[in-house]
Amino acid sequence: MSLLSIKNLTLSIHGIPILRDVELAIAPGEIVAVTGESGSGKSMTALAVMQLLPQGAEIAGQIHLSDEDILAAGEDRMCALRGNDVGMVFQEPMTALNPVKTIGDQVAETILLHGAMDRAAAMDRAREVLARVGLPENRFPLTRYPHELSGGQRQRVVIAMAIALRPKLLIADEPTTALDVTTQAQILELLTGLVREFGMGMLMITHDLAVVAEMADRITVMRHGEVVEQGSTGDLLTNMQHPYTKMLFQASGHKVVLPAPPPPAPLLDVANVVREYRLPRTRLFSRPEYFRAVNHVSLVINRGERVGLVGESGCGKSTLTRAILGLEDVQGGHIRLDGEPVFSGQSPNLSVRRKMQVVFQDPFGSFNPRHKVERLITESFHLLDNPPRGAARQDAVAEALTAVGLSPDDAQKYVHEFSGGQRQRIAIARALIIRPELILFDEAVSALDVSVRAQVLDLLADLCRAYSLTYLFISHDLSVVRTVTDRVIVMQSGEVVEEGVTEQVFANPKHPYTRKLIAAAPVLPELGVVG
Amino acid sequence: MLRYALKRFLSLVLSLAVASLIIFFVIEIAPGDPATFMLGINAQEDTVAALREELGLNGTKLSRYLSWVSGMLTGDFGTSYTYRTPVAQMVADRLKVSLPLAIFGLLLSVLIGIPAGIYAATRRGKGGDIAVMGATQLGVAVPNFWFAMMLVLLFAIKLRWFGAGGFPGWDKGFWVCLHALTLPAICLALPQAAILARVMRSSLLDVLGEDFMRTARAKGLTHLQAVWRHGVRNAFIPVLTIIGLQIAFLLAGAIIIEQVFYLPGLGRLIFQSINARDLIVVESVVMLLVFSVIVVNFLVDLAYAAVDPRLRSRE
């Protein structure tokens, strides 16, 4: 008797088909992972079980939770089931909690709502559950507000809310995607522990195949709203049938071959850099205190070298990136590109800025939606003294677009006409068009699906061969950094703790923090077994 | 929280000081000599000079500013040039009408606007939403004196439920006065309620799209429970800003309504004083209005902090 059974589930929203004939079953105590790329319908499957689908949804088929027919249950009955029999954990811990209510109240709300106990008992249970998820009351009082907690701690609160009434089924929708590797490892361990302890069933939705392989009992692979393959984790990993599954796993572990870097000749010189932020004063007339985000960091990037920068959120890698780009002044040390300071006076040094470009993480938010691609990618021309005009300009646009695998005709389109991966190509074209000496990739592939990510990584390798790029690749994704960089720098709490040839650092990490990072990152099983 | 309040309070005192300076000097440079105005064009030179002396118009600008400010701090607003009565008394008499009218109007505006906005947001795109939005469109577009005339025609002349205007005075009893203020308060409140409803609706719609609303549903709250418990308070911050702006308008912006309903309010006092070059009254009333706006803003700032814990800890 399965806990959750989905049969022939078909869903359309405003007439657009979303799911087709989805079949899925979860037994008590079992972890079933649903994986696939964006648009595969994995989140919609979860929302269908919760009956929290968007407006205009038309659903057919069967969803049974124990004996209960979910699709026949009315809204009142669903309200009784949600939170009580089914708990749900969402992707974005930063926004999943109500900012104006204390964590104690938010956890207790689930308990009070279902009338399980009176207020005092509910607060006791909230205290107990929060302690169980790793937020003991002596360090995290119930009166804390969400903004006083880190992302990982907030996710623990969300989990506490979901499991407060010990539901039979826990649905976790990308529960660790927004978290650091070490936090991710802790949250995954917590979830697995809870499932085993309470005998819950868990529907885990994630795009991260390494996570799937590590914790799921069974795997369901979805594409375009259909289940393409499912089976127990061991069977599926050793004996993949569907080409899409094979492609997914191969793309996840995708490796590229970089050309050998030229002999070292320094390009970027970061020496003893300190970057401090003034903290809000704790008392009215006290001396201001400072937070040192980057603490005496020195590094060199040689011409033609590909360098990775890794570390958890808050380690100072973004601050360092902004300082290298000359967007902010530093409080100590200097940053020079080709011997010239990147920051002069109150503004970035133009003659240096034209030698540097950046590609950001979010392919959807980093373009002005009102501009055509041509205008977007030629924006950096204003850095040049003598930008190409007329036919030369057209040629430059065409060449940049061709270089990133797009067509010159795309110059006349708007960004909304492109997919996430294509937009990231446009971002690279924008960086490439003035032939910068150095490109900074700030989490540039983190928001992409694995297959798209693999293509963008291939593109990077191609560009390295064609233009002998020099770049700094900032990422929390260790497996990507491992394949696209020659040298890697590990940062912790504003300091560089380890630096070395990428393969050597990964194979033989010296610093305990590096070891911790590498150990925490989920590992994709070797794909030699894939037929 | 205390530090936040203290900081806001300091900024309140500073704003008041700057505002008083600006008001004093702007009115000083306005053309027209009150003494000449009071005595008429044909007055003797020495009579005018004597009156100027009596009114204190002869001192240096700074000394006159300081005596004006220190007078206000002790409740002495000076003496009206035209009526020769203490300004404080005149203003107090007018406030007895204007303040209750403003509070009444504000209450109506909040009581109509906020529920209407919440209702529209929860029924987004459905009939109720469209009806509320249509009504608020009218409320914003139609000038309030037109409402005033229509209400008078309907309730005072046709149905005879209310008087067409005038104010009996508080000694005639609370309910009698409230009755007299009802139509003017409704006229004042309708456009404000329409604005509040629109702001409340859009702010709540933004909040309804937030992730934590989905979390609330996943806990088992019904749609309406989620809206009330998690949505409304989060949606309230922009609404508070608008309410703060409205209080100032309701206090001083009622000139037309006071005129239509023949109410002896602050708005009419300003109007008459400007016409009569009674600068000391104008200065005092404007300063009073600025004072109330700044105090209201201070209260709104405190209300922000009460609603949003993030503001409490940031400062």
Side-chain angles (χ1 to χ4, degrees):
Chain A
M1 176 69 216
S2 56
L3 172 62
L4 176 74
S5 120
I6 299 177
K7 289 203 177 92
N8 300 322
L9 180 66
T10 299
L11 170 71
S12 65
I13 296 175
H14 292 301
I16 300 161
I18 304 290
L19 298 176
R20 202 161 66 217
D21 282 334
V22 171
E23 308 253 339
L24 189 71
I26 300 178
E30 188 181 42
I31 299 176
V32 173
V34 175
T35 190
E37 298 186 293
S38 22
S40 64
K42 50 193 196 304
S43 286
M44 281 299 161
T45 308
L47 290 177
V49 175
M50 294 296 274
Q51 284 293 289
L52 286 178
L53 292 164
Q55 284 198 350
E58 277 177 56
I59 194 164
Q62 290 179 341
I63 303 177
H64 280 89
L65 180 70
S66 300
D67 300 327
E68 185 105 27
D69 184 351
I70 295 272
L71 296 187
E75 178 60 18
D76 286 350
R77 180 64 192 140
M78 281 315 299
C79 283
L81 288 175
R82 288 182 208 124
N84 200 9
D85 292 307
V86 194
M88 187 155 181
V89 176
F90 298 97
Q91 170 169 4
E92 204 30 88
M94 301 313 273
T95 53
L97 292 168
N98 184 342
V100 305
K101 291 199 170 199
T102 64
I103 58 170
D105 280 345
Q106 295 196 51
V107 176
E109 185 179 34
T110 312
I111 304 160
L112 287 168
L113 187 68
H114 294 281
M117 45 193 88
D118 63 34
R119 187 162 174 84
M123 286 315 270
D124 281 342
R125 170 64 82 87
R127 193 169 289 129
E128 187 187 306
V129 174
L130 281 168
R132 174 63 189 85
V133 299
L135 301 173
E137 200 195 4
N138 52 10
R139 284 173 52 221
F140 301 94
L142 299 189
T143 51
R144 284 280 178 93
Y145 285 98
H147 71 272
E148 300 170 300
L149 304 175
S150 71
Q153 289 162 351
R154 291 186 208 193
Q155 195 62 305
R156 288 171 191 269
V157 176
V158 176
I159 293 172
M161 290 186 331
I163 59 148
L165 290 171
R166 306 221 167 163
K168 292 181 268 186
L169 176 67
L170 183 64
I171 301 178
D173 187 356
E174 304 275 6
T176 58
T177 304
L179 304 173
D180 282 325
V181 274
T182 48
T183 318
Q184 162 169 291
Q186 291 159 7
I187 295 287
L188 291 179
E189 193 187 322
L190 171 66
L191 286 172
T192 322
L194 288 168
V195 167
R196 305 291 179 234
E197 183 182 330
F198 298 165
M200 287 186 288
M202 181 158 129
L203 175 61
M204 165 105 177
I205 288 154
T206 178
H207 70 283
D208 188 331
L209 293 170
V211 168
V212 171
E214 271 188 14
M215 71 181 288
D217 299 316
R218 285 194 303 117
I219 299 178
T220 299
V221 182
M222 288 183 73
R223 181 180 62 165
H224 304 328
E226 285 178 286
V227 173
V228 296
E229 189 164 1
Q230 56 186 329
S232 75
T233 304
D235 287 350
L236 192 127
L237 288 180
T238 47
N239 188 19
M240 286 177 204
Q241 295 302 314
H242 200 281
Y244 180 71
T245 315
K246 293 178 191 170
M247 187 282 289
L248 264 190
F249 274 85
Q250 263 149 6
S252 294
H254 189 71
K255 291 199 169 43
V256 296
V257 181
L258 294 177
L267 174 66
L268 179 79
D269 174 29
V270 175
N272 226 5
V273 160
V274 174
R275 178 77 182 95
E276 289 179 329
Y277 291 100
R278 202 168 134 169
L279 292 174
R281 277 187 254 201
T282 48
R283 276 200 238 132
L284 199 55
F285 296 107
S286 61
R287 288 159 65 84
E289 286 181 38
Y290 292 89
F291 171 71
R292 191 164 274 200
V294 174
N295 189 12
H296 294 291
V297 165
S298 299
L299 58 94
V300 171
I301 297 179
N302 294 315
R303 215 173 275 279
E305 192 182 30
R306 283 77 47 159
V307 179
L309 180 60
V310 298
E312 294 181 295
S313 37
C315 75
K317 49 186 200 297
S318 298
T319 308
L320 182 63
T321 311
R322 279 198 301 275
I324 291 175
L325 283 167
L327 297 176
E328 294 170 351
D329 199 5
V330 295
Q331 279 71 51
H334 66 254
I335 303 176
R336 294 209 177 102
L337 185 75
D338 247 353
E340 280 185 90
V342 293
F343 191 90
S344 57
Q346 290 305 304
S347 59
N349 185 348
L350 267 198
S351 64
V352 177
R353 271 304 272 108
R354 74 181 55 150
K355 297 180 183 168
M356 261 191 291
Q357 284 294 311
V358 60
V359 178
F360 292 109
Q361 170 172 7
D362 185 356
F364 294 92
S366 51
F367 292 105
N368 185 336
R370 290 165 179 275
H371 291 177
K372 288 182 176 165
V373 168
E374 174 171 4
R375 175 151 177 204
L376 291 172
I377 66 172
T378 53
E379 246 167 346
S380 38
F381 277 165
H382 78 271
L383 293 168
L384 303 181
D385 294 327
N386 194 9
R389 288 176 211 288
R393 185 184 163 96
Q394 301 302 326
D395 289 347
V397 169
E399 191 195 334
L401 287 174
T402 314
V404 297
L406 296 171
S407 141
D409 300 337
D410 290 332
Q412 296 311 317
K413 294 183 184 164
Y414 290 96
V415 276
H416 70 258
E417 298 171 63
F418 296 91
S419 68
Q422 287 171 324
R423 288 179 203 208
Q424 219 52 342
R425 287 172 189 266
I426 296 171
I428 295 172
R430 170 165 71 179
L432 213 54
I433 196 162
I434 58 167
R435 297 290 168 79
E437 310 260 350
L438 175 68
I439 302 182
L440 288 92
F441 290 98
D442 191 354
E443 300 281 6
V445 297
S446 304
L448 303 178
D449 276 325
V450 282
S451 60
V452 180
R453 186 178 73 188
Q455 291 161 12
V456 173
L457 294 179
D458 280 337
L459 170 67
L460 268 190
D462 288 344
L463 292 175
C464 282
R465 279 186 282 275
Y467 298 95
S468 71
L469 297 185
T470 311
Y471 58 71
L472 181 64
F473 196 95
I474 300 122
S475 180
H476 69 278
D477 189 330
L478 300 179
S479 66
V480 171
V481 170
R482 187 171 190 168
T483 181
V484 295
T485 64
D486 307 309
R487 201 151 57 82
V488 66
I489 294 164
V490 185
M491 274 185 85
Q492 181 194 17
S493 318
E495 292 178 30
V496 171
V497 295
E498 185 160 357
E499 184 185 347
V501 174
T502 304
E503 251 335 290
Q504 285 174 11
V505 171
F506 275 89
N508 185 18
K510 297 274 189 300
H511 194 276
Y513 178 73
T514 316
R515 274 186 229 136
K516 197 176 102 187
L517 267 189
I518 294 173
V523 184
L524 208 64
E526 275 305 314
L527 290 169
V529 286
V530 177
Chain B
M1 179 68 194
L2 198 68
R3 255 167 32 80
Y4 174 80
L6 202 71
K7 244 179 141 167
R8 297 286 107 204
F9 185 74
L10 276 178
S11 105
L12 174 149
V13 172
L14 250 160
S15 322
L16 277 180
V18 172
S20 68
L21 268 172
I22 293 173
I23 290 166
F24 183 81
F25 286 102
V26 165
I27 291 186
E28 278 301 308
I29 57 169
D33 174 33
T36 321
F37 195 84
M38 285 162 73
L39 294 170
I41 313 170
N42 300 322
Q44 301 282 327
E45 286 272 328
D46 52 342
T47 326
V48 174
L51 184 62
R52 286 185 61 87
E53 184 64 40
E54 190 194 330
L55 293 175
L57 294 177
N58 284 338
T60 64
K61 285 217 158 65
L62 183 70
S63 71
R64 287 172 47 217
Y65 170 73
L66 288 177
S67 76
W68 177 61
V69 169
S70 63
M72 270 195 302
L73 288 177
T74 54
D76 175 11
F77 285 56
T79 306
S80 157
Y81 302 154
T82 6
Y83 299 104
R84 315 309 291 269
T85 50
V87 175
Q89 189 55 49
M90 291 171 71
V91 171
D93 284 344
R94 300 304 181 104
L95 269 182
K96 279 183 195 157
V97 179
S98 282
L99 198 62
L101 181 61
I103 294 173
F104 197 177
L106 181 74
L107 278 179
L108 284 178
S109 153
V110 168
L111 289 179
I112 299 169
I114 290 186
I118 295 174
Y119 173 78
T122 54
R123 326 225 77 219
R124 179 183 201 171
K126 295 184 185 148
D129 181 26
I130 294 166
V132 170
M133 282 299 100
T136 60
Q137 192 73 266
L138 271 182
V140 174
V142 175
N144 58 9
F145 61 80
W146 189 83
F147 277 130
M149 294 186 322
M150 290 303 115
L151 289 182
V152 168
L153 280 177
L154 181 63
F155 291 105
I157 294 171
K158 244 200 151 81
L159 297 171
R160 300 195 170 273
W161 291 355
F162 294 93
F167 187 71
W170 289 101
D171 49 341
K172 296 285 191 303
F174 177 75
W175 294 108
V176 176
C177 291
L178 202 66
H179 191 250
L181 291 179
T182 305
L183 287 188
I186 292 175
C187 296
L188 276 178
L190 281 181
Q192 307 299 319
I195 295 169
L196 269 192
R198 296 183 85 89
V199 175
M200 185 75 219
R201 173 182 180 269
S202 67
S203 172
L204 187 55
L205 282 179
D206 284 347
V207 172
L208 294 187
E210 295 275 351
D211 286 349
F212 61 78
M213 295 304 292
R214 192 183 49 185
T215 312
R217 294 302 311 282
K219 280 174 168 180
L221 273 78
T222 63
H223 179 58
L224 278 183
Q225 278 175 323
V227 169
W228 279 108
R229 294 193 196 177
H230 295 275
V232 172
R233 192 168 150 194
N234 275 292
F236 228 72
I237 289 209
V239 178
L240 280 176
T241 312
I242 302 293
I243 292 179
L245 295 174
Q246 293 191 344
I247 293 177
F249 172 78
L250 289 172
L251 206 54
I255 300 184
I256 294 173
I257 294 297
E258 286 173 6
Q259 207 68 35
V260 172
F261 287 98
Y262 209 71
L263 297 172
L266 216 48
R268 283 177 71 200
L269 178 64
I270 306 178
F271 191 64
Q272 292 160 355
S273 307
I274 292 174
N275 275 340
R277 292 289 183 283
D278 204 343
L279 295 189
I280 185 110
V281 177
V282 178
E283 274 172 2
S284 305
V285 175
V286 172
M287 194 60 215
L288 183 82
L289 290 174
V290 169
F291 177 76
S292 50
V293 169
I294 292 177
V295 168
V296 165
N297 278 344
F298 173 67
L299 295 177
V300 168
D301 280 344
L302 291 190
Y304 286 154
V307 168
D308 192 337
R310 285 168 295 185
L311 285 174
R312 271 174 257 161
S313 54
R314 189 182 302 163
E315 297 283 332

